[in-house]
Amino acid sequence: MNRGEKGLFGGIAVLAVVLLLLLLGSCGDNCDDAASTPAAPVTITATPSPAGSQVGQSVDSALERVGQTGLSVAVHDASDRDENPGGDWTVCFEKATLSKVDFAAVPDGAPCPKKDGQRIPWPKMPNVQGSTYADAVEKLGDAVGAVAIEAAYEDEAAYDTNNGAGEYANWKVCFQSVKAGTRLAQEPDVVLHAVEKDETCPSSKGLYKNAENDPDYRDREYAEPDDGTSAGDGSSANGGSSGDSGSSEEDYSPGDKGGCPPGGCYNPCPPGGCR
């Protein structure tokens, strides 16, 4: 120990003795009681450290992370629907104090509202009619699920899904299964009915490009005539020949009291009708 250190140590020792004398002088007659009374134990509680922001994390992950800090946790619906959040919901907002963290979450895949308790801002279905299939796939993006293409005419075939670079990329969209302006909650699948680039769209769904391919058209073509005659045989519904002029009045033989006899008229009624 050098001279400087010895001087410093001595000064500290002298200061300690002076303080002790002052304490003893201040306690007076109570010095013995104070010396005999044990000091009360002091409990030091460490303030739990925050877990960091959990915005964007799943509710399960956020609860697990915050649970390790000793903080209490609460979770509620961030939208105006007031539903019970699930573990796969996504945290949008959080409010933390020294003892508690409150999370506000939305269903998995749903966009967060602008503020806690507001309506979920689902995107709306755009109008893709008239655009190409490739442009429609790009425009719909992640707002919907699968984007499938089918032929707009019943007698044409086409099918593909989420493939804006395939052989149907330049086909023109005629109809869309989800109406434009519909809120796209939970990413619905969309079917687009289209025709080749230079074709004209049908006026409505279910039509055939070639009318002769329509089963209803073929049924009408080969249907029996409405007048009850068989097509092409020249016979009438009553079994007579189309060339028969019908029964004459002399063929009619009424009974004694008029009208047809019990066995019926021999021939159909004459032009004047049966009495």
Side-chain angles (χ1 to χ4, degrees):
M1 182 180 296
N2 57 38
R3 182 178 299 175
E5 292 175 342
K6 289 181 180 181
L8 179 61
F9 180 77
I12 293 175
V14 172
L15 180 59
V17 172
V18 173
L19 291 175
L20 178 60
L21 292 174
L22 290 174
L23 290 173
L24 290 175
S26 64
C27 64
D29 296 337
N30 297 326
C31 289
D32 294 338
D33 295 337
S36 61
T37 303
V42 177
T43 303
I44 299 176
T45 303
T47 301
S49 60
S53 176
Q54 300 301 305
V55 173
Q57 302 297 319
S58 68
V59 168
D60 279 343
S61 176
L63 293 178
E64 181 180 0
R65 182 71 180 275
V66 174
Q68 298 173 355
T69 68
L71 296 170
S72 60
V73 187
V75 186
H76 67 272
D77 190 343
S79 73
D80 58 349
R81 303 180 64 179
D82 197 25
E83 295 184 358
N84 186 28
D88 62 341
W89 283 34
T90 303
V91 175
C92 292
F93 310 103
E94 59 185 7
K95 184 177 181 181
T97 64
L98 293 177
S99 60
K100 181 180 179 181
V101 178
D102 187 10
F103 292 124
V106 294
D108 182 34
C112 291
K114 292 183 178 180
K115 293 183 179 180
D116 190 2
Q118 291 186 349
R119 185 177 185 178
I120 294 178
W122 292 107
K124 294 182 179 180
M125 179 69 184
N127 184 5
V128 295
Q129 293 183 7
S131 64
T132 64
Y133 177 59
D135 289 342
V137 170
E138 181 178 0
K139 191 172 184 178
L140 294 174
D142 296 332
V144 300
V147 182
I149 184 173
E150 294 183 4
Y153 286 105
E154 292 293 326
D155 50 350
E156 291 187 337
Y159 188 80
D160 203 350
T161 303
N162 293 340
N163 185 10
E167 60 178 309
Y168 305 110
N170 64 350
W171 278 44
K172 180 174 61 178
V173 177
C174 299
F175 311 107
Q176 55 191 62
S177 63
V178 180
K179 185 179 179 180
T182 302
R183 291 187 177 275
L184 300 175
Q186 303 302 330
E187 301 179 1
D189 292 339
V190 177
V191 178
L192 304 177
H193 299 271
V195 295
E196 293 190 52
K197 181 179 180 180
D198 297 327
E199 285 187 355
T200 301
C201 288
S203 57
S204 62
K205 294 181 182 178
L207 298 182
Y208 289 77
K209 186 176 181 181
N210 184 350
E212 294 181 358
N213 293 330
D214 186 351
D216 292 338
Y217 175 85
R218 294 198 301 270
D219 291 343
R220 290 192 299 270
E221 184 179 6
Y222 297 104
E224 294 292 334
D226 293 337
D227 60 1
T229 59
S230 299
D233 61 3
S235 61
S236 64
N238 58 19
S241 172
S242 60
D244 189 0
S245 60
S247 300
S248 65
E249 189 169 356
E250 288 77 11
D251 293 331
Y252 172 65
S253 178
D256 295 338
K257 296 183 179 181
C260 295
C265 297
Y266 301 115
N267 291 302
C269 295
C274 298
R275 294 190 183 90

